Amino acid sequence: MEGKIFRVSGPVVIANGLDNPKMYDVVKVGSSGLIGEIIKLDKAQAIIQVYEDTSGIKPGEPVENTHRQLSVMLGPGLIGSIYDGIQRPLDKIMSKSGDFIARGIEVESLDTARKWHFIPSVKDGDEVTSGAIIGEVEETEIIKHKVMVPYGVAGVIKGLKEGDYTIKEKIASITDSQKKSVDITMLQYWPVRMPRPVVDKLPPDIPLITGQRVIDTLFPVAKGGTSAVPGPFGSGKTVIQHQLSKWSDSDIVIYVGCGERGNEMTEILSTFPELNDPKSGKPLMQRTILIANTSNMPVAAREASIYTGITLAEYYRDMGYNVALMADSTSRWAEALREISGRLEEMPGEEGYPAYLGRKIAEFYERAGRVNVMSGGTGSVTAIGAVSPPGGDISEPVSQNTLRVTRVFWALDASLANSRHFPSINWLNSYSLYIDDLRPWYLKNVAEEWPELYQKAMGTLQKEAEINEIVQLVGYDALPEADKLILDIAKSIREDYLQQSAFDEVDAYTSIRKQYMMLKSILALGDEEEIALIKGVAMEQMADLEVRQKIAKMKFVKEESIEPYYNEIISSISKIKAIEPEKK
Amino acid sequence: MNDIYYKTINKVTNVLLFVEGVKDAGYNELVEVKLEDGRSVTGQVLDSRDGLAIVQSFGETRGMNLGNTKVKFLGNTAHINVSTDMLGRIFDGMGRPRDRSPPIYSNESLDINGSSINPYAREEPSEFIQTGISTIDGMNTLVRGQKLPIFSGSGLPHNRIAAQIARQAKILGESEGFSVVFGGIGINSEEANFFKKEFEETGALERAVMFLNLSSEPSMERIILPRLALTTAEYLAYKENMHVLVILTDMTNYCEALREVSAAREEVPGRRGYPGYMYTDLSTIYERAGKIKSRRGSITQIPILTMPGDDITHPIPDLTGYITEGQIVLSRELYRRGVYPNIDVLLSLSRLMNQGIGKKSTREDHRGVADQLYAAYSRGKDLRSLTEIVGEEALSANDKKFLKFADSFESNFVKQDYYEDRSIEKTLDMGWDLFAPLDEREIKRIKDEYIKKYGKWNNGAK
């Protein structure tokens, strides 16, 4: 039985007479076969959100139910791809429809003709369970794609042989306890709205090292953690997301450009192949998947893009990888929800957003985590979501619902951005709830005194804010020397440490070791100056110390020459002891 | 079906018609509404269901009635005839000539909604456009294929700045200039005449296409107009290989029209009554800027909007800023002090600046100089507000230098004549002149080698 369109209103289409419609079934709408998804059933009518532009579509045109849920194709070949919100490869769309995206294009998400060299890791006759790894192929130079037993399948495996296969060719078969045999290929499907199962969740006690000083030092995120980056436009949300995609020590990065600028995706496409992963030295595209549903692409596909992204992330997590998912921006996703909800004439909640906004956001972030995976190892999905609050005011529903569930908050600040302090993460408003979970790691892997340095840096910055209020009233000259010193150290922390240029070759990435040395230098100088002050030395006597210049330039010193540079600084600092108070 | 007229309108509001008994109107399909007095008005289907079509009228609904007004569905979505004959011509908000010349005949008729550029086909904009305005070239560099709006306020000279950019914009080392597509959305006739005269005087009119909808004309045409302008621009850029500069003014009027339709449809309003889909809608306009790998031409957009109450957090500038690649913000304070162009550099930003500057395109010290200008001016301005409380005497000698820096930055670097076309070399050198009175060690944002090469401290006294 074929359905017929009853009503068209933007991305929402209502159809009558569909064959056994079920919630979230994928349907093909109109004579051009636009892809849509059933989001509501009302008596004989199915309400469909359509992932493509509906201009020209008329009542009476046919609607066909595919009886599938919106799913992604999983298998080797995902890495290095650029997809739209419903996993159609943009490069293949281009070869079919040219420079502009046409409607109703059907392309396969993965290359089904390409042969991959499969190496089994289990033997014929082995007992395998759902999600177990049975072999691997080299997907890129740095990523081994683990082939897993599909969910719901378990039993005795046989017919395994090393060799070259396409993703649709049979690589083995599994016979279950009922003697039912299932053919295994390297290809699987998974519905995007359903989280992939795991054994259990693990505590977040390993940091995601990002090479960004303000993040790693002050507001770290754990592997498997969640973080929100709200900020007004121009505050550098996208640059931060790009920096994390480039430099974070995750194995795989999935970047979802959700309702953002086309040129930003182009920038990633043109820069990532030329940049090397700091860990492996290979081009970044070899560990990256892009999902681009730019702001002018259909709004319903924007809603799906976030789920497509996190499902791909979970898939690689299940192989035992640490995956970082960047979603830029979740506000656009929420607006897509609002737009669809408005067209459905649902009762609006706050600011026109649907009442289920909070639940949807929480569900999304809950799919992050460091977990024991079904194949036996551990893997993680770290979710970092940009939020674009209107007017930069985070009291709005998307920011508030996001902050309720994420554990790290990087508050981007317009006034910092305007004075070109980047990354413009405000140190007074931001927080990371992982600090305590991660402390043992930092103690063990960075330095015993790390928590102390952290406390001191944060304390100094807090103090600076208080003193600055006094300066506004009485002027700088009226301050006691000790306060002037604090302002000095805080200034150095802000300018020489927290400010970091994404566009400078050396400064763009700072190893955790170098971060320690830089912070230690700044604070050690402060400590020595404090001792000198107590002895009676005036701040002015120390204003021209050469070591200040050295500390200021430290961020531009290459990783390989940082050790001797640091030692020089420490030895210059130790000479401050020799300064004697001037006699008045 | 083309000859079927429906006489079944059962409801008319000031912008909407509800037509009953229609079985198969396409979404976004164009309609022709014929009134009793013979006038005809164009409209578009906003919602189509079996038995009812909701039509948005682009012209006035004055004189329409429920019995004799007829509606014809035209079977296609809005299109415009395009050709290079359009250069030098002036059209209205529906694409009809308003210069007493014949309409455009062409085989090429394009859907005004366009299609989204495949992000994979885009080329990263990277060619530096010299506008001759220091605050733009030096600190908020415009590149070819960018969309960089001007955020203005009512009564500020945004039109002059846009005209100056249109007159002076060039790519260094290329003789071919920009073609201009101008979209005047709900502007008054004085503004329209200003641009017309400006284009005539500079000879730009012959490579310009103007679309004008005056404030007295139907507001619904304002929703169509930017799409006509951009479809024309796409034709010129991608079919005729031209580099096109699109100026759209005033986008605030566009958004007002959008709100009007939304209110008429009784939709759930978003912030301040603007529809929830305004972000998506605006992006279908702004995202039509860019460059495509396989094609020679390009579209650079300079939309202008006036911020209601000078409020940058108002939904119109706010949503625009989230889509465009930066913004040029005009300052009322500078304007009052007689500084033209009154660009507030601290609030302005060009996201694509880095791609367009540096050794290969402008000069190696460009990034550093720009950063340093920002840092020093920002510090100077902070000190200026501090002195209002504690007086200038309370400042240290060093701080006083920064205070002076802010003053001379505004009066020398920002301020320039309407006809002054500064080269990028000149702009950067002016920056170094401004740094000269500061202590050399305060120059933290520029690499040492450039300070040695361009700095003005080494010759004699510090």
Side-chain angles (χ1 to χ4, degrees), chain A residues 6-8 55-57 90 99 101 234 259 261 263 270 295 332 389 391 420 544, chain B residues 27-28 47-48 50 116 118 124 279 283 294-295 318 322-325 348 374 441:
Chain A
F6 169 73
R7 177 181 174 189
V8 189
S55 284
I57 303 289
L90 288 171
D99 296 335
I101 298 176
R261 304 173 182 89
N263 279 332
S270 64
S295 54
R332 305 300 163 224
R420 298 318 192 248
D544 286 330
Chain B
Y27 177 67
N28 275 347
D47 191 325
S48 169
D50 195 351
S116 3
N118 188 328
E124 207 181 359
Y279 176 85
S283 74
S294 61
R295 308 190 188 212
D318 190 54
Y322 276 121
I323 305 166
T324 54
E325 283 131 2
S348 302
Y374 270 118
R441 52 164 197 192

mmCIF file of all heavy atoms in Angstrom, chain A residues 6-8 55-57 90 99 101 234 259 261 263 270 295 332 389 391 420 544, chain B residues 27-28 47-48 50 116 118 124 279 283 294-295 318 322-325 348 374 441:
data_model
loop_
_atom_site.group_PDB
_atom_site.id
_atom_site.type_symbol
_atom_site.label_atom_id
_atom_site.label_comp_id
_atom_site.label_asym_id
_atom_site.label_seq_id
_atom_site.Cartn_x
_atom_site.Cartn_y
_atom_site.Cartn_z
ATOM 1 N N PHE A 6 -0.450 14.527 2.091
ATOM 2 C CA PHE A 6 -1.641 15.300 2.376
ATOM 3 C C PHE A 6 -1.305 16.777 2.537
ATOM 4 O O PHE A 6 -2.037 17.656 2.108
ATOM 5 C CB PHE A 6 -2.300 14.775 3.655
ATOM 6 C CG PHE A 6 -3.383 15.654 4.187
ATOM 7 C CD1 PHE A 6 -4.612 15.717 3.539
ATOM 8 C CD2 PHE A 6 -3.175 16.447 5.313
ATOM 9 C CE1 PHE A 6 -5.609 16.557 4.022
ATOM 10 C CE2 PHE A 6 -4.178 17.279 5.791
ATOM 11 C CZ PHE A 6 -5.396 17.338 5.144
ATOM 12 N N ARG A 7 -0.151 17.050 3.120
ATOM 13 C CA ARG A 7 0.178 18.447 3.414
ATOM 14 C C ARG A 7 1.690 18.644 3.388
ATOM 15 O O ARG A 7 2.454 17.782 3.809
ATOM 16 C CB ARG A 7 -0.358 18.791 4.802
ATOM 17 C CG ARG A 7 -0.011 20.203 5.228
ATOM 18 C CD ARG A 7 -0.540 20.501 6.621
ATOM 19 N NE ARG A 7 -0.058 21.816 7.028
ATOM 20 C CZ ARG A 7 -0.201 22.305 8.242
ATOM 21 N NH1 ARG A 7 -0.794 21.616 9.185
ATOM 22 N NH2 ARG A 7 0.265 23.504 8.521
ATOM 23 N N VAL A 8 2.131 19.811 2.898
ATOM 24 C CA VAL A 8 3.547 20.166 2.921
ATOM 25 C C VAL A 8 3.691 21.517 3.594
ATOM 26 O O VAL A 8 3.029 22.476 3.211
ATOM 27 C CB VAL A 8 4.134 20.300 1.496
ATOM 28 C CG1 VAL A 8 5.640 20.442 1.561
ATOM 29 C CG2 VAL A 8 3.738 19.135 0.626
ATOM 30 N N SER A 55 10.671 22.349 -1.686
ATOM 31 C CA SER A 55 10.064 23.252 -2.670
ATOM 32 C C SER A 55 9.493 22.474 -3.848
ATOM 33 O O SER A 55 10.146 21.585 -4.386
ATOM 34 C CB SER A 55 11.109 24.228 -3.219
ATOM 35 O OG SER A 55 11.363 25.216 -2.268
ATOM 36 N N GLY A 56 8.267 22.822 -4.240
ATOM 37 C CA GLY A 56 7.672 22.195 -5.412
ATOM 38 C C GLY A 56 6.967 20.874 -5.127
ATOM 39 O O GLY A 56 6.273 20.346 -5.990
ATOM 40 N N ILE A 57 7.146 20.322 -3.950
ATOM 41 C CA ILE A 57 6.475 19.060 -3.600
ATOM 42 C C ILE A 57 4.984 19.341 -3.377
ATOM 43 O O ILE A 57 4.615 20.339 -2.770
ATOM 44 C CB ILE A 57 7.101 18.464 -2.321
ATOM 45 C CG1 ILE A 57 8.592 18.243 -2.513
ATOM 46 C CG2 ILE A 57 6.394 17.186 -1.907
ATOM 47 C CD1 ILE A 57 8.944 17.130 -3.446
ATOM 48 N N LEU A 90 29.846 13.763 0.809
ATOM 49 C CA LEU A 90 29.722 14.979 0.000
ATOM 50 C C LEU A 90 30.551 14.921 -1.274
ATOM 51 O O LEU A 90 30.211 15.536 -2.275
ATOM 52 C CB LEU A 90 30.116 16.203 0.839
ATOM 53 C CG LEU A 90 29.091 16.564 1.915
ATOM 54 C CD1 LEU A 90 29.637 17.637 2.851
ATOM 55 C CD2 LEU A 90 27.803 17.062 1.277
ATOM 56 N N ASP A 99 28.668 21.168 -8.272
ATOM 57 C CA ASP A 99 29.104 22.018 -7.177
ATOM 58 C C ASP A 99 27.984 22.351 -6.194
ATOM 59 O O ASP A 99 28.223 22.762 -5.076
ATOM 60 C CB ASP A 99 29.687 23.319 -7.730
ATOM 61 C CG ASP A 99 30.936 23.070 -8.540
ATOM 62 O OD1 ASP A 99 31.587 22.042 -8.276
ATOM 63 O OD2 ASP A 99 31.257 23.884 -9.426
ATOM 64 N N ILE A 101 24.327 21.134 -4.254
ATOM 65 C CA ILE A 101 23.704 19.889 -3.833
ATOM 66 C C ILE A 101 22.298 19.788 -4.410
ATOM 67 O O ILE A 101 21.445 20.625 -4.141
ATOM 68 C CB ILE A 101 23.664 19.813 -2.301
ATOM 69 C CG1 ILE A 101 25.109 19.828 -1.766
ATOM 70 C CG2 ILE A 101 22.934 18.563 -1.840
ATOM 71 C CD1 ILE A 101 25.209 19.863 -0.275
ATOM 72 N N GLY A 234 32.202 35.290 17.519
ATOM 73 C CA GLY A 234 33.482 35.983 17.508
ATOM 74 C C GLY A 234 34.316 35.730 18.750
ATOM 75 O O GLY A 234 35.378 36.301 18.913
ATOM 76 N N GLY A 259 24.987 23.084 11.255
ATOM 77 C CA GLY A 259 24.382 24.389 11.027
ATOM 78 C C GLY A 259 25.371 25.527 11.100
ATOM 79 O O GLY A 259 25.025 26.632 11.489
ATOM 80 N N ARG A 261 29.123 27.476 9.273
ATOM 81 C CA ARG A 261 29.520 28.062 7.995
ATOM 82 C C ARG A 261 30.152 27.041 7.046
ATOM 83 O O ARG A 261 30.939 26.213 7.474
ATOM 84 C CB ARG A 261 30.532 29.171 8.240
ATOM 85 C CG ARG A 261 30.033 30.224 9.172
ATOM 86 C CD ARG A 261 31.130 31.210 9.514
ATOM 87 N NE ARG A 261 30.639 32.195 10.451
ATOM 88 C CZ ARG A 261 30.683 32.057 11.761
ATOM 89 N NH1 ARG A 261 31.217 30.963 12.272
ATOM 90 N NH2 ARG A 261 30.217 32.989 12.543
ATOM 91 N N ASN A 263 32.381 27.721 4.777
ATOM 92 C CA ASN A 263 33.815 27.960 4.642
ATOM 93 C C ASN A 263 34.623 27.353 5.784
ATOM 94 O O ASN A 263 35.812 27.086 5.637
ATOM 95 C CB ASN A 263 34.104 29.464 4.557
ATOM 96 C CG ASN A 263 33.878 29.991 3.151
ATOM 97 O OD1 ASN A 263 34.024 29.257 2.183
ATOM 98 N ND2 ASN A 263 33.518 31.257 3.033
ATOM 99 N N SER A 270 40.889 21.782 3.905
ATOM 100 C CA SER A 270 42.137 22.170 3.254
ATOM 101 C C SER A 270 43.314 22.146 4.221
ATOM 102 O O SER A 270 44.445 21.958 3.796
ATOM 103 C CB SER A 270 42.004 23.538 2.582
ATOM 104 O OG SER A 270 41.770 24.523 3.554
ATOM 105 N N SER A 295 24.727 25.678 7.606
ATOM 106 C CA SER A 295 23.495 26.356 8.005
ATOM 107 C C SER A 295 22.483 26.444 6.876
ATOM 108 O O SER A 295 21.285 26.506 7.125
ATOM 109 C CB SER A 295 23.831 27.751 8.503
ATOM 110 O OG SER A 295 24.570 28.453 7.535
ATOM 111 N N ARG A 332 22.444 25.135 17.129
ATOM 112 C CA ARG A 332 21.796 25.028 15.814
ATOM 113 C C ARG A 332 20.969 23.764 15.725
ATOM 114 O O ARG A 332 19.947 23.707 15.050
ATOM 115 C CB ARG A 332 22.866 25.035 14.706
ATOM 116 C CG ARG A 332 23.772 26.204 14.747
ATOM 117 C CD ARG A 332 23.030 27.526 14.608
ATOM 118 N NE ARG A 332 23.843 28.630 15.044
ATOM 119 C CZ ARG A 332 23.420 29.635 15.812
ATOM 120 N NH1 ARG A 332 22.175 29.667 16.217
ATOM 121 N NH2 ARG A 332 24.233 30.594 16.168
ATOM 122 N N PRO A 389 24.830 30.912 22.446
ATOM 123 C CA PRO A 389 23.682 31.573 23.074
ATOM 124 C C PRO A 389 23.400 32.918 22.408
ATOM 125 O O PRO A 389 24.326 33.658 22.120
ATOM 126 C CB PRO A 389 24.134 31.770 24.524
ATOM 127 C CG PRO A 389 25.623 31.718 24.477
ATOM 128 C CD PRO A 389 26.012 30.897 23.300
ATOM 129 N N GLY A 391 23.008 36.570 21.799
ATOM 130 C CA GLY A 391 23.537 37.714 22.511
ATOM 131 C C GLY A 391 24.564 37.348 23.564
ATOM 132 O O GLY A 391 24.931 38.174 24.385
ATOM 133 N N ARG A 420 41.505 40.667 22.128
ATOM 134 C CA ARG A 420 42.308 39.649 21.460
ATOM 135 C C ARG A 420 43.086 38.789 22.444
ATOM 136 O O ARG A 420 44.212 38.411 22.201
ATOM 137 C CB ARG A 420 43.265 40.277 20.421
ATOM 138 C CG ARG A 420 42.590 41.025 19.272
ATOM 139 C CD ARG A 420 41.376 40.285 18.744
ATOM 140 N NE ARG A 420 40.882 40.812 17.477
ATOM 141 C CZ ARG A 420 39.715 41.446 17.333
ATOM 142 N NH1 ARG A 420 38.942 41.684 18.374
ATOM 143 N NH2 ARG A 420 39.319 41.848 16.147
ATOM 144 N N ASP A 544 62.706 45.486 35.838
ATOM 145 C CA ASP A 544 63.402 45.312 34.560
ATOM 146 C C ASP A 544 64.180 44.009 34.456
ATOM 147 O O ASP A 544 65.046 43.876 33.610
ATOM 148 C CB ASP A 544 64.354 46.493 34.330
ATOM 149 C CG ASP A 544 63.563 47.739 33.960
ATOM 150 O OD1 ASP A 544 62.488 47.571 33.356
ATOM 151 O OD2 ASP A 544 64.009 48.858 34.278
ATOM 152 N N TYR B 27 4.723 23.182 -2.693
ATOM 153 C CA TYR B 27 5.285 24.041 -1.660
ATOM 154 C C TYR B 27 6.227 25.042 -2.338
ATOM 155 O O TYR B 27 7.020 24.667 -3.204
ATOM 156 C CB TYR B 27 6.023 23.170 -0.640
ATOM 157 C CG TYR B 27 6.705 23.962 0.434
ATOM 158 C CD1 TYR B 27 5.969 24.673 1.368
ATOM 159 C CD2 TYR B 27 8.094 24.003 0.528
ATOM 160 C CE1 TYR B 27 6.579 25.407 2.356
ATOM 161 C CE2 TYR B 27 8.719 24.725 1.514
ATOM 162 C CZ TYR B 27 7.965 25.438 2.432
ATOM 163 O OH TYR B 27 8.583 26.163 3.402
ATOM 164 N N ASN B 28 6.121 26.314 -1.962
ATOM 165 C CA ASN B 28 6.924 27.394 -2.558
ATOM 166 C C ASN B 28 6.537 27.724 -4.005
ATOM 167 O O ASN B 28 7.221 28.514 -4.648
ATOM 168 C CB ASN B 28 8.424 27.092 -2.518
ATOM 169 C CG ASN B 28 9.028 27.506 -1.181
ATOM 170 O OD1 ASN B 28 8.391 28.217 -0.407
ATOM 171 N ND2 ASN B 28 10.253 27.103 -0.926
ATOM 172 N N ASP B 47 2.128 26.921 2.536
ATOM 173 C CA ASP B 47 1.676 25.703 3.179
ATOM 174 C C ASP B 47 0.653 25.123 2.228
ATOM 175 O O ASP B 47 -0.254 25.817 1.787
ATOM 176 C CB ASP B 47 1.029 26.051 4.539
ATOM 177 C CG ASP B 47 0.767 24.829 5.394
ATOM 178 O OD1 ASP B 47 0.424 23.764 4.829
ATOM 179 O OD2 ASP B 47 0.888 24.930 6.624
ATOM 180 N N SER B 48 0.819 23.853 1.890
ATOM 181 C CA SER B 48 -0.089 23.264 0.927
ATOM 182 C C SER B 48 -0.615 21.962 1.471
ATOM 183 O O SER B 48 0.146 21.111 1.884
ATOM 184 C CB SER B 48 0.672 23.003 -0.381
ATOM 185 O OG SER B 48 -0.128 22.219 -1.223
ATOM 186 N N ASP B 50 -4.074 18.995 1.077
ATOM 187 C CA ASP B 50 -5.148 18.546 0.209
ATOM 188 C C ASP B 50 -6.394 19.365 0.526
ATOM 189 O O ASP B 50 -7.008 19.166 1.559
ATOM 190 C CB ASP B 50 -5.371 17.045 0.484
ATOM 191 C CG ASP B 50 -6.196 16.415 -0.608
ATOM 192 O OD1 ASP B 50 -6.717 17.164 -1.458
ATOM 193 O OD2 ASP B 50 -6.304 15.171 -0.616
ATOM 194 N N SER B 116 22.269 24.810 -2.109
ATOM 195 C CA SER B 116 23.448 25.032 -1.274
ATOM 196 C C SER B 116 24.692 24.551 -1.991
ATOM 197 O O SER B 116 24.696 23.503 -2.628
ATOM 198 C CB SER B 116 23.327 24.335 0.083
ATOM 199 O OG SER B 116 22.142 23.597 0.173
ATOM 200 N N ASN B 118 27.902 22.652 -2.222
ATOM 201 C CA ASN B 118 28.468 21.504 -1.529
ATOM 202 C C ASN B 118 29.751 21.959 -0.820
ATOM 203 O O ASN B 118 30.649 22.481 -1.472
ATOM 204 C CB ASN B 118 28.787 20.430 -2.568
ATOM 205 C CG ASN B 118 29.202 19.124 -1.943
ATOM 206 O OD1 ASN B 118 29.815 19.111 -0.882
ATOM 207 N ND2 ASN B 118 28.860 18.025 -2.592
ATOM 208 N N GLU B 124 38.651 27.591 -0.156
ATOM 209 C CA GLU B 124 38.846 28.471 0.985
ATOM 210 C C GLU B 124 39.180 29.874 0.491
ATOM 211 O O GLU B 124 40.130 30.052 -0.259
ATOM 212 C CB GLU B 124 40.000 27.922 1.808
ATOM 213 C CG GLU B 124 39.911 28.296 3.245
ATOM 214 C CD GLU B 124 41.095 27.764 4.035
ATOM 215 O OE1 GLU B 124 41.973 27.095 3.448
ATOM 216 O OE2 GLU B 124 41.130 28.060 5.219
ATOM 217 N N TYR B 279 17.420 32.181 11.823
ATOM 218 C CA TYR B 279 18.823 31.815 11.601
ATOM 219 C C TYR B 279 18.973 31.053 10.285
ATOM 220 O O TYR B 279 19.810 31.377 9.439
ATOM 221 C CB TYR B 279 19.340 30.978 12.768
ATOM 222 C CG TYR B 279 20.746 30.468 12.583
ATOM 223 C CD1 TYR B 279 21.845 31.256 12.921
ATOM 224 C CD2 TYR B 279 20.992 29.202 12.060
ATOM 225 C CE1 TYR B 279 23.136 30.802 12.741
ATOM 226 C CE2 TYR B 279 22.285 28.738 11.875
ATOM 227 C CZ TYR B 279 23.348 29.544 12.224
ATOM 228 O OH TYR B 279 24.630 29.085 12.033
ATOM 229 N N SER B 283 20.756 32.318 6.840
ATOM 230 C CA SER B 283 21.910 31.592 6.318
ATOM 231 C C SER B 283 21.716 31.252 4.849
ATOM 232 O O SER B 283 22.691 31.164 4.106
ATOM 233 C CB SER B 283 22.160 30.338 7.135
ATOM 234 O OG SER B 283 21.191 29.373 6.834
ATOM 235 N N SER B 294 36.101 24.719 -8.887
ATOM 236 C CA SER B 294 36.182 24.515 -10.330
ATOM 237 C C SER B 294 35.770 25.748 -11.128
ATOM 238 O O SER B 294 35.732 25.698 -12.349
ATOM 239 C CB SER B 294 35.282 23.339 -10.713
ATOM 240 O OG SER B 294 33.952 23.660 -10.362
ATOM 241 N N ARG B 295 35.440 26.858 -10.458
ATOM 242 C CA ARG B 295 34.963 28.026 -11.211
ATOM 243 C C ARG B 295 35.805 29.246 -10.883
ATOM 244 O O ARG B 295 36.323 29.376 -9.777
ATOM 245 C CB ARG B 295 33.503 28.295 -10.872
ATOM 246 C CG ARG B 295 32.691 27.026 -11.039
ATOM 247 C CD ARG B 295 31.237 27.266 -10.949
ATOM 248 N NE ARG B 295 30.570 25.958 -10.929
ATOM 249 C CZ ARG B 295 29.383 25.730 -11.438
ATOM 250 N NH1 ARG B 295 28.717 26.697 -11.995
ATOM 251 N NH2 ARG B 295 28.854 24.531 -11.381
ATOM 252 N N ASP B 318 22.785 39.616 16.022
ATOM 253 C CA ASP B 318 23.267 38.424 16.709
ATOM 254 C C ASP B 318 23.283 37.214 15.778
ATOM 255 O O ASP B 318 24.306 36.557 15.608
ATOM 256 C CB ASP B 318 22.359 38.156 17.914
ATOM 257 C CG ASP B 318 22.932 37.087 18.827
ATOM 258 O OD1 ASP B 318 24.082 37.247 19.248
ATOM 259 O OD2 ASP B 318 22.232 36.101 19.092
ATOM 260 N N TYR B 322 26.559 35.163 13.851
ATOM 261 C CA TYR B 322 26.823 33.724 13.950
ATOM 262 C C TYR B 322 26.987 33.075 12.576
ATOM 263 O O TYR B 322 27.477 31.964 12.464
ATOM 264 C CB TYR B 322 25.687 33.027 14.695
ATOM 265 C CG TYR B 322 25.804 33.074 16.202
ATOM 266 C CD1 TYR B 322 24.836 33.652 16.992
ATOM 267 C CD2 TYR B 322 26.920 32.513 16.825
ATOM 268 C CE1 TYR B 322 24.944 33.678 18.380
ATOM 269 C CE2 TYR B 322 27.044 32.531 18.204
ATOM 270 C CZ TYR B 322 26.053 33.113 18.975
ATOM 271 O OH TYR B 322 26.174 33.130 20.330
ATOM 272 N N ILE B 323 26.512 33.741 11.527
ATOM 273 C CA ILE B 323 26.603 33.129 10.204
ATOM 274 C C ILE B 323 27.762 33.708 9.402
ATOM 275 O O ILE B 323 28.463 32.998 8.699
ATOM 276 C CB ILE B 323 25.286 33.331 9.406
ATOM 277 C CG1 ILE B 323 24.100 32.806 10.198
ATOM 278 C CG2 ILE B 323 25.365 32.636 8.056
ATOM 279 C CD1 ILE B 323 22.751 33.257 9.666
ATOM 280 N N THR B 324 27.940 35.023 9.505
ATOM 281 C CA THR B 324 28.939 35.673 8.661
ATOM 282 C C THR B 324 30.342 35.424 9.187
ATOM 283 O O THR B 324 30.529 35.018 10.325
ATOM 284 C CB THR B 324 28.686 37.180 8.603
ATOM 285 O OG1 THR B 324 28.619 37.670 9.942
ATOM 286 C CG2 THR B 324 27.393 37.477 7.895
ATOM 287 N N GLU B 325 31.310 35.718 8.346
ATOM 288 C CA GLU B 325 32.695 35.490 8.743
ATOM 289 C C GLU B 325 33.300 36.755 9.326
ATOM 290 O O GLU B 325 34.266 37.287 8.818
ATOM 291 C CB GLU B 325 33.487 34.979 7.545
ATOM 292 C CG GLU B 325 33.192 33.531 7.296
ATOM 293 C CD GLU B 325 32.863 33.197 5.854
ATOM 294 O OE1 GLU B 325 32.886 34.084 4.992
ATOM 295 O OE2 GLU B 325 32.567 32.038 5.599
ATOM 296 N N SER B 348 35.043 44.732 15.997
ATOM 297 C CA SER B 348 35.046 44.190 14.636
ATOM 298 C C SER B 348 35.952 42.974 14.552
ATOM 299 O O SER B 348 36.825 42.773 15.392
ATOM 300 C CB SER B 348 35.516 45.250 13.644
ATOM 301 O OG SER B 348 34.689 46.366 13.718
ATOM 302 N N TYR B 374 45.703 46.008 18.244
ATOM 303 C CA TYR B 374 44.562 45.643 19.073
ATOM 304 C C TYR B 374 44.897 45.742 20.548
ATOM 305 O O TYR B 374 44.183 46.370 21.338
ATOM 306 C CB TYR B 374 44.119 44.206 18.766
ATOM 307 C CG TYR B 374 43.113 44.130 17.685
ATOM 308 C CD1 TYR B 374 43.379 43.463 16.505
ATOM 309 C CD2 TYR B 374 41.877 44.744 17.840
ATOM 310 C CE1 TYR B 374 42.446 43.404 15.487
ATOM 311 C CE2 TYR B 374 40.936 44.685 16.830
ATOM 312 C CZ TYR B 374 41.227 44.019 15.660
ATOM 313 O OH TYR B 374 40.298 43.970 14.670
ATOM 314 N N ARG B 441 59.994 47.299 24.673
ATOM 315 C CA ARG B 441 59.702 45.996 25.298
ATOM 316 C C ARG B 441 58.205 45.789 25.517
ATOM 317 O O ARG B 441 57.771 44.720 25.924
ATOM 318 C CB ARG B 441 60.475 45.826 26.592
ATOM 319 C CG ARG B 441 60.295 46.966 27.530
ATOM 320 C CD ARG B 441 60.727 46.652 28.906
ATOM 321 N NE ARG B 441 60.101 47.706 29.707
ATOM 322 C CZ ARG B 441 60.368 47.963 30.939
ATOM 323 N NH1 ARG B 441 61.234 47.244 31.570
ATOM 324 N NH2 ARG B 441 59.768 48.940 31.575
#
